[in-house]
Amino acid sequence: MVSNHLLLEEPIRMASILEPSKASFFPAMTKIVGTLGPRSRSPEVISGCLKTGMSVARFDFSWGDPEYHQETLENLRSAIKLTKKLCAVMLDTVGPELQVANKSEKAISLQADATVILTPDQGQEATSDVLPINFSGLSKAVKKGDTIFMGQYLFTGSETTSVWLEVDEVQGDDVVCVIKNTATLAGSLFTLHASQIRIDLPTLSDKDKEIISTWGLQNKIDFLSLSYTRHAEDVRQAREFLSKLGDLSQTQIFAKIENIEGLTHFDEILQEADGIILSRGNLGIDLPPEKVFLFQKAAVNKCNMAGKPTVVTRVVDSMTDNLRPTRAEATDVANAVLDGTDAILLGAETLRGLYPIETISTVGRICAEAEKVFNQDLYFKKTVKFVGEPMTHLESIASSAVRAAIKVKASVIICFTSSGRAARLIAKYRPTMPVLSVVIPRLKTNQLKWSFSGAFEARQSLIVRGLFPMLADPRHPAESTNATNESVLKVALDHGKASGVIKSHDRVVVCQKVGDASVVKIIELED
């Protein structure tokens, strides 16, 4: 992997842009979260997704039953065995999402300037005159002139497949709306988003709790995507709920910011959450279009400085139906990478899109190109300045490892860790080379049985930019004699060579604990 990265401030020869990109073992340092669904649930398609760069599989419980998702997960496990590619599992909650169930699944045509009634009476069939919704309090939450958006999966912004409604009057529990654009809604489920209106429903619904404590617990999910996070208290309550579920106490909570309320309380939510998902589909409705970029840049920067992963959604909507993204979408993906995002989340593009594998491949290639011109030098200085002095012991070691690796043009940084924290801190400084996180399992006992920790920590690295985990043999303790450290290092180096990241005569920076001391060393490989 080449580490002589360009800086955007340097002049780029235009002819060099036409040179083909060099193949690399890692499709990109930026991670890709793929949503598995009707078009992406067979072992063959999932294998293709893993090979082209998907490292986290997202299971969206706003549709489909647990049995359906379990089948998909079994197929994912088969694909992991087949491809030998690690993949983490993310459960996405429904939260206070407003939905219209179209039981007949017939396409519904809505005409501009006509009216449609939103009713909590779910016994009614969805038609172009009446749409039954899953929330009885809408009539109390809205007033004349308020805006409601509706579409399949999420409001897409396409004026033919999504509809824009304006509240005209409230009649008891029903809300009468004027249709602002002509559109045809297809599918069994439509999502509603009431712009800048508080929906008085719990962030973690009873249905969510039931799914987490059954499906989530049974499958030991790595990440919980907490939809419609509005306050830090939402994250605290979710963590308290997970901590009572034994195996899920290690599950990381990613707060999904999708409305003005979440944006207003962003700083305190960031303190509580393990990571942030910027759900631009809904945010793009709540915010004026000209403010969306500003929120994204500010939020990604805050996450970077806090050393917490940030995930950006809704990047290549047009690839749901097309083989190529639009020019604006391709630029948008690159800009998210240059902003410093850790991962790109694909929703409808892989869930029901026609080209799930090609979409992941395309996004991966755009990310890889943007990473080559990421201004690492500026980023490093800014992060060190933000952290300030005195630095914590771990932070000092992490930043020193990255500085050393860049100075000696190392091909890789190898970090031995048991909690994963040291490796995440190294990744926080965005080195230009991959970080191999060697997770050393720890033996645990509850007095009835022995078990090893480590699998969670390894898989949870799969959402952090530039971090690539491998699980070490549990017979090698993390802090031990030099001899066992050397043997684990040899395993890590062999893994790096086999995967094409390390070649003979390369320099490698190693970060490990020897006794009580943390050590950063540079090794030069022989033939």
Side-chain angles (χ1 to χ4, degrees), residues 288-325:
E290 66 273 18
K291 298 284 188 185
V292 176
F293 87 96
L294 203 53
F295 170 70
Q296 176 177 315
K297 287 180 184 295
V300 171
N301 180 55
K302 282 174 185 282
C303 293
N304 287 167
M305 294 303 110
K308 292 188 177 182
T310 168
V311 183
V312 171
T313 70
R314 303 304 292 272
V315 286
V316 284
D317 282 359
S318 70
M319 286 195 80
T320 307
D321 304 305
N322 300 299
L323 256 175
R324 284 169 70 94

Side-chain angles (χ1 to χ4, degrees), residues 18-296:
L18 301 175
E19 290 167 10
S21 303
K22 293 184 179 73
S24 161
F25 171 70
F26 303 119
M29 306 272 262
T30 307
K31 303 301 173 68
I32 296 174
V33 181
T35 306
L36 300 186
R39 292 274 183 177
S40 53
R41 66 190 300 257
S42 69
E44 299 74 32
V45 174
I46 297 174
S47 296
C49 292
L50 291 171
K51 284 178 191 165
T52 48
M54 176 178 83
S55 63
V56 180
R58 171 175 169 258
F59 292 81
D60 182 359
F61 274 83
S62 61
W63 64 275
D65 54 34
E67 292 73 29
Y68 180 91
H69 289 300
Q70 190 61 41
E71 264 179 51
T72 309
L73 183 55
E74 296 307 333
N75 289 345
L76 170 66
R77 286 174 177 153
S78 306
I80 290 169
K81 278 184 188 159
L82 194 71
T83 59
K84 295 184 171 57
K85 300 272 187 194
L86 270 179
C87 187
V89 171
M90 176 183 278
L91 187 159
D92 201 313
T93 63
V94 182
E97 184 170 271
L98 305 187
Q99 296 175 334
V100 172
N102 179 20
K103 291 169 189 159
S104 69
E105 297 199 23
K106 289 178 189 158
I108 296 172
S109 294
L110 299 167
Q111 295 299 316
D113 300 327
T115 57
V116 66
I117 296 170
L118 303 178
T119 177
D121 179 2
Q122 292 189 283
Q124 295 210 42
E125 195 169 311
T127 66
S128 49
D129 301 314
V130 179
L131 296 169
I133 63 167
N134 65 341
F135 176 50
S136 58
L138 187 66
S139 59
K140 296 179 187 71
V142 298
K143 62 184 184 307
K144 185 177 171 69
D146 281 344
T147 302
I148 296 172
F149 293 96
M150 182 167 55
Q152 188 191 2
Y153 193 70
L154 264 181
F155 178 78
T156 60
S158 163
E159 294 297 279
T160 53
T161 59
S162 306
V163 73
W164 170 17
L165 308 172
E166 191 179 288
V167 176
D168 187 41
E169 62 172 318
V170 173
Q171 295 177 348
D173 288 342
D174 295 349
V175 177
V176 182
C177 299
V178 175
I179 302 163
K180 304 297 280 185
N181 66 298
T182 298
T184 301
L185 300 179
S188 59
L189 197 69
F190 315 132
T191 304
L192 261 77
H193 184 86
S195 182
Q196 299 196 21
I197 290 157
R198 175 169 172 81
I199 299 302
D200 195 16
L201 285 171
T203 301
L204 205 59
S205 68
D206 291 341
K207 183 188 170 190
D208 289 329
K209 287 178 178 174
E210 187 193 335
I211 285 164
I212 294 165
S213 54
T214 52
W215 194 92
L217 182 61
Q218 175 193 335
N219 297 301
K220 295 184 182 176
I221 54 164
D222 303 296
F223 302 108
L224 179 74
S225 163
L226 192 61
S227 294
Y228 296 93
T229 304
R230 296 168 284 192
H231 300 271
E233 189 54 35
D234 295 341
V235 184
R236 283 192 285 270
Q237 286 173 2
R239 199 171 308 282
E240 193 184 332
F241 179 70
L242 289 178
S243 68
K244 292 173 184 163
L245 295 174
D247 282 338
L248 294 191
S249 57
Q250 283 182 280
T251 297
Q252 288 190 347
I253 298 172
F254 273 58
K256 211 167 164 194
I257 308 296
E258 29 197 335
N259 55 24
I260 293 281
E261 225 175 327
L263 183 152
T264 311
H265 302 111
F266 185 85
D267 290 350
E268 51 261 44
I269 290 171
L270 177 59
Q271 274 189 316
E272 287 293 328
D274 297 300
I276 296 283
I277 297 173
L278 304 179
S279 181
R280 300 189 312 172
N282 281 345
L283 265 175
I285 294 167
D286 259 16
L287 284 172
E290 66 273 18
K291 298 284 188 185
V292 176
F293 87 96
L294 203 53
F295 170 70
Q296 176 177 315

Side-chain angles (χ1 to χ4, degrees), residues 324-346:
R324 284 169 70 94
T326 66
R327 273 72 69 197
E329 287 171 337
T331 306
D332 184 30
V333 174
N335 276 327
V337 173
L338 296 175
D339 287 346
T341 191
D342 285 81
I344 300 287
L345 188 151
L346 301 171

